[in-house]
Amino acid sequence: MTATARGLTDTTTLNNGVKMPWIGLGVWKVEEGQQVEDSVAAAIANGYRSIDTAAVYGNEVGVGKAVRECGVKREELFVTTKVWNADQGFDSTLRAHEASLERLGLDYVDLYLVHWPVKDKYRETWKALVRLYEEKRVRAIGVSNHQIHHLEEIIQDTGVVPAVNQVEYHPLLSQVELLSYCKTKGIQMEAWSPLMQGNNLDHPALRTIATKHGKSTAQIVLRWDLQHGVVTIPKSTKVARMKENADIFDFELSAEEMGAIDAMNENRRFGADPDNFNF
């Protein structure tokens, strides 16, 4: 279980047997070129083995360069990218996957995700991911920002359950029903913006718990993710922050502390609503 995870190389086993690290580096809003290359290289040098990018981030070239040049064997790393909304649909998704591989300069990605459930397109997009998986062109497939009704539709269409659902997840948006559904179906939930994009990290409940454990409030939130069985990918370009985000394996939150953080939920999104977005 997650509470016994000991470090950055510890993994969860996805529903197809592929192992995915519990913690990774997110590179949303990290600039293509030197900034993203340095960030990914630093993360890997400090023990990270999972890197999460997306076509729309515009930094796949730099991510791929850092992965290829980091000195760690490719099979020891876990690389995620995503098909963007404008490329959704069956044939265009297959082309988008090839384009991502070309930009990354990699033979494969470990996890390929449907970035958003674009109306009238996401079901065909998922069928394309199933095709990629069946042809062994990607190690695992999943979705991002999918609600229960989206998940039920794509599972009904294909009989294939996503390995991962990456969603906005943090103490102010704990998505209890969605997390429970994903666990029941064997879908690994993954948190984007786990640190609330820097909002509310000074919340009194977090401060109290952080003081008790001698940790930062960010570390408390990331530990809360782990103990709920949620993979997390905090973003940072600073080495000291990367190290801090990873230093969450030497303590455990009590049931009472977990409950206090759970009680922070306001169903508050900092990103778009998956049922109401126009991009």
Side-chain angles (χ1 to χ4, degrees), residues 204-214 220 253 257-258 260-261:
L206 296 178
R207 280 211 314 268
T208 300
I209 297 167
T211 300
K212 181 184 169 189
H213 289 280
I220 296 302
L253 299 172
E257 289 166 337
M258 290 291 288
I261 300 170

Side-chain angles (χ1 to χ4, degrees), residues 25-44 51-54 57-70 103-104 235-238 242:
L25 178 77
V27 295
W28 178 56
K29 288 192 172 175
V30 182
E31 285 179 22
E32 177 64 285
Q34 204 64 50
Q35 188 182 53
V36 78
E37 288 170 33
D38 289 349
S39 295
V40 172
I44 294 171
I51 309 295
D52 180 276
T53 185
Y57 297 173
N59 56 20
E60 288 175 312
V61 172
V63 167
K65 184 169 187 279
V67 165
R68 294 193 310 273
E69 296 177 359
C70 69
R103 286 189 293 269
L104 287 160
K235 171 214 154 194
S236 185
T237 56
K238 298 179 175 66
M242 289 178 195

Side-chain angles (χ1 to χ4, degrees), residues 95-146:
R95 290 193 295 270
H97 171 258
E98 287 304 310
S100 278
L101 284 187
E102 196 169 315
R103 286 189 293 269
L104 287 160
L106 301 175
D107 295 330
Y108 65 93
V109 290
D110 299 274
L111 178 63
Y112 197 45
L113 302 179
V114 182
H115 208 146
W116 287 86
V118 175
K119 194 178 179 196
D120 300 328
K121 285 189 176 180
Y122 67 92
R123 296 168 79 158
E124 288 303 306
T125 304
W126 179 244
K127 289 174 186 173
L129 265 65
V130 170
R131 168 77 64 85
L132 290 169
Y133 180 72
E134 288 173 346
E135 294 179 352
K136 296 184 166 50
R137 290 155 73 187
V138 59
R139 293 184 68 225
I141 53 173
V143 296
S144 187
N145 303 303
H146 280 44

Side-chain angles (χ1 to χ4, degrees), residues 31-272:
E31 285 179 22
E32 177 64 285
Q34 204 64 50
Q35 188 182 53
V36 78
E37 288 170 33
D38 289 349
S39 295
V40 172
I44 294 171
N46 282 284
Y48 284 76
R49 292 295 176 262
S50 175
I51 309 295
D52 180 276
T53 185
V56 76
Y57 297 173
N59 56 20
E60 288 175 312
V61 172
V63 167
K65 184 169 187 279
V67 165
R68 294 193 310 273
E69 296 177 359
C70 69
V72 174
K73 290 178 184 174
R74 172 67 185 92
E75 58 267 27
E76 293 177 18
L77 299 172
F78 192 97
V79 178
T80 300
T81 194
K82 314 172 190 81
V83 56
W84 182 239
N85 301 348
D87 293 322
Q88 287 197 34
F90 190 86
D91 292 332
S92 48
T93 293
L94 298 179
R95 290 193 295 270
H97 171 258
E98 287 304 310
S100 278
L101 284 187
E102 196 169 315
R103 286 189 293 269
L104 287 160
L106 301 175
D107 295 330
Y108 65 93
V109 290
D110 299 274
L111 178 63
Y112 197 45
L113 302 179
V114 182
H115 208 146
W116 287 86
V118 175
K119 194 178 179 196
D120 300 328
K121 285 189 176 180
Y122 67 92
R123 296 168 79 158
E124 288 303 306
T125 304
W126 179 244
K127 289 174 186 173
L129 265 65
V130 170
R131 168 77 64 85
L132 290 169
Y133 180 72
E134 288 173 346
E135 294 179 352
K136 296 184 166 50
R137 290 155 73 187
V138 59
R139 293 184 68 225
I141 53 173
V143 296
S144 187
N145 303 303
H146 280 44
Q147 308 275 53
I148 292 171
H149 66 95
H150 300 123
L151 293 166
E152 290 189 328
E153 285 173 351
I154 63 173
I155 293 168
Q156 187 176 359
D157 284 348
T158 62
V160 178
V161 178
V164 171
N165 187 17
Q166 184 187 119
V167 298
E168 183 177 358
Y169 177 85
H170 46 69
L172 297 179
L173 183 70
S174 55
Q175 307 236 46
V176 175
E177 192 181 353
L178 180 60
L179 179 57
S180 175
Y181 176 87
C182 286
K183 286 182 175 178
T184 300
K185 289 288 185 183
I187 301 168
Q188 176 61 55
M189 201 137 106
E190 180 180 14
W192 63 256
S193 287
L195 299 177
M196 302 175 278
Q197 299 179 21
N199 293 281
N200 289 77
L201 284 174
D202 60 349
H203 189 285
L206 296 178
R207 280 211 314 268
T208 300
I209 297 167
T211 300
K212 181 184 169 189
H213 289 280
K215 295 288 182 180
S216 70
T217 53
Q219 288 170 315
I220 296 302
V221 171
L222 297 175
R223 181 71 206 183
W224 174 80
D225 283 358
L226 282 193
Q227 288 185 218
H228 271 309
V230 175
V231 166
T232 186
I233 45 168
K235 171 214 154 194
S236 185
T237 56
K238 298 179 175 66
V239 175
R241 188 62 55 77
M242 289 178 195
K243 289 180 178 178
E244 178 188 306
N245 289 343
D247 186 20
I248 58 172
F249 296 98
D250 58 352
F251 73 103
E252 191 168 335
L253 299 172
S254 68
E256 185 183 7
E257 289 166 337
M258 290 291 288
I261 300 170
D262 291 344
M264 288 173 57
N265 181 53
E266 300 174 359
N267 296 322
R268 182 177 168 196
R269 296 183 182 276
F270 295 101

